[in-house]
Amino acid sequence: MHRSRLSTFLIDTPAAEAARSAAFWSAALGVPASPVPDEPQFTSLPGVHPDLVFAVQGVDDAPRYHVDIETDDHNAETARLVALGAVEINRWLDCHTLRVPGGQLVCVIPVHSDPEVFDRLAHTWP
Amino acid sequence: MHRSRLSTFLIDTPAAEAARSAAFWSAALGVPASPVPDEPQFTSLPGVHPDLVFAVQGVDDAPRYHVDIETDDHNAETARLVALGAVEINRWLDCHTLRVPGGQLVCVIPVHSDPEVFDRLAHTWP
């Protein structure tokens, strides 16, 4: 058995535009724009929605959004989503990037929420 | 004064793939896939997250995600976001499509949540 939940909403923005993007979303949604220690590509937007992480990520790619699914077993969760039709297109450490049916991107990542939030909201899979 | 909040997460999928996309997300997140009466392009995914609408939308375009900001004054909210750097690229009835700084799409739409949810979570703008 393992658990997972949709945890994170990423606003992927070309790196040169990331600061402007973060300033926009902060003002648009009425939340702070908070740098993430040791992860300079991320700017967190705390308070957009309870129990869901929102952040701008500077990327070397076209603008897009993507979502993360956090899990206590990244290999099992990736295998579960692949069995549902997703295709793994990249892996970096314990983070798996999948293209899901329909064509969008989803990343499977280790749990990064507070344990209380994960325990309360994650689904358990057989 | 008017109010707004980020209310909706749309999984935009080429129409021919939309049924497969909805089936994937339903199984992946452990929620039902519910057709939306009178709006056949939408399949709702109720229960992904409290107070946030998740849905697959069949589109005549490339796969992507987008978000909606719901508001009690769509013209005032659009003007506020344009003043923050967004550009209005389309309008259909009371729905405004904006390209925001960084390049992603956001739609401004009239309130569609329960009034209690909107009252509890919307920001008030001067």
Side-chain angles (χ1 to χ4, degrees), chain A residues 5-6 9 11-14 17 20-21 24-25 27-30 49-52 54 63-67 69 80-81 84-86 100-106 123 125, chain B residues 5-6 9 11-14 17 20-21 24-25 27-30 49-52 54 63-67 69 80-81 84-86 100-106 123 125:
Chain A
R5 75 175 193 109
L6 192 153
F9 181 79
I11 301 159
D12 295 327
T13 301
E17 298 275 322
R20 190 165 159 255
S21 169
F24 169 81
W25 285 96
L29 301 180
H49 227 276
D51 303 330
L52 204 51
F54 276 71
R64 64 180 177 227
Y65 304 104
H66 84 264
V67 294
I69 292 178
R80 188 180 73 86
L81 297 177
L84 293 173
V100 303
Q104 296 84 3
L105 294 181
V106 171
H123 284 257
W125 307 106
Chain B
R5 75 174 193 111
L6 193 152
F9 180 78
I11 301 160
D12 295 327
T13 301
E17 298 275 322
R20 190 167 158 253
S21 169
F24 168 82
W25 285 96
L29 301 179
H49 226 276
D51 304 330
L52 203 52
F54 276 72
R64 64 179 178 229
Y65 304 105
H66 85 264
V67 293
I69 292 177
R80 187 181 74 86
L81 297 177
L84 293 173
V100 303
Q104 296 84 5
L105 294 181
V106 171
H123 284 256
W125 307 106

Side-chain angles (χ1 to χ4, degrees), chain A residues 9-104:
Chain A
F9 181 79
L10 272 304
I11 301 159
D12 295 327
T13 301
E17 298 275 322
R20 190 165 159 255
S21 169
F24 169 81
W25 285 96
S26 171
L29 301 180
V31 297
S34 302
V36 177
D38 300 326
E39 295 188 296
Q41 73 273 35
F42 291 105
T43 304
S44 180
L45 299 162
V48 173
H49 227 276
D51 303 330
L52 204 51
V53 174
F54 276 71
V56 171
Q57 179 178 212
V59 296
D60 182 20
D61 208 337
R64 64 180 177 227
Y65 304 104
H66 84 264
V67 294
D68 290 345
I69 292 178
E70 66 175 0
T71 177
D72 53 10
D73 186 334
H74 57 91
N75 288 316
E77 179 67 0
T78 298
R80 188 180 73 86
L81 297 177
V82 166
L84 293 173
V87 176
E88 184 169 0
I89 59 171
N90 195 25
R91 179 177 174 175
W92 183 74
L93 302 178
D94 293 342
C95 302
H96 305 247
T97 302
L98 310 182
R99 190 169 300 285
V100 303
Q104 296 84 3

Side-chain angles (χ1 to χ4, degrees), chain B residues 3-125:
Chain B
R3 294 177 295 166
S4 72
R5 75 174 193 111
L6 193 152
S7 60
T8 313
F9 180 78
L10 272 303
I11 301 160
D12 295 327
T13 301
E17 298 275 322
R20 190 167 158 253
S21 169
F24 168 82
W25 285 96
S26 170
L29 301 179
V31 297
S34 302
V36 177
D38 300 327
E39 296 187 296
Q41 73 273 37
F42 291 104
T43 304
S44 181
L45 298 162
V48 174
H49 226 276
D51 304 330
L52 203 52
V53 174
F54 276 72
V56 171
Q57 178 177 211
V59 297
D60 182 19
D61 208 338
R64 64 179 178 229
Y65 304 105
H66 85 264
V67 293
D68 290 344
I69 292 177
E70 65 175 1
T71 178
D72 54 10
D73 185 334
H74 58 90
N75 287 317
E77 179 66 0
T78 298
R80 187 181 74 86
L81 297 177
V82 166
L84 293 173
V87 176
E88 184 168 0
I89 60 171
N90 195 25
R91 179 176 174 175
W92 183 73
L93 302 177
D94 293 341
C95 302
H96 305 246
T97 302
L98 310 182
R99 189 169 301 284
V100 303
Q104 296 84 5
L105 294 181
V106 171
C107 292
V108 173
I109 62 173
V111 176
H112 67 299
S113 297
D114 289 341
E116 178 277 325
V117 173
F118 186 74
D119 287 345
R120 177 161 45 87
L121 296 175
H123 284 256
T124 300
W125 307 106

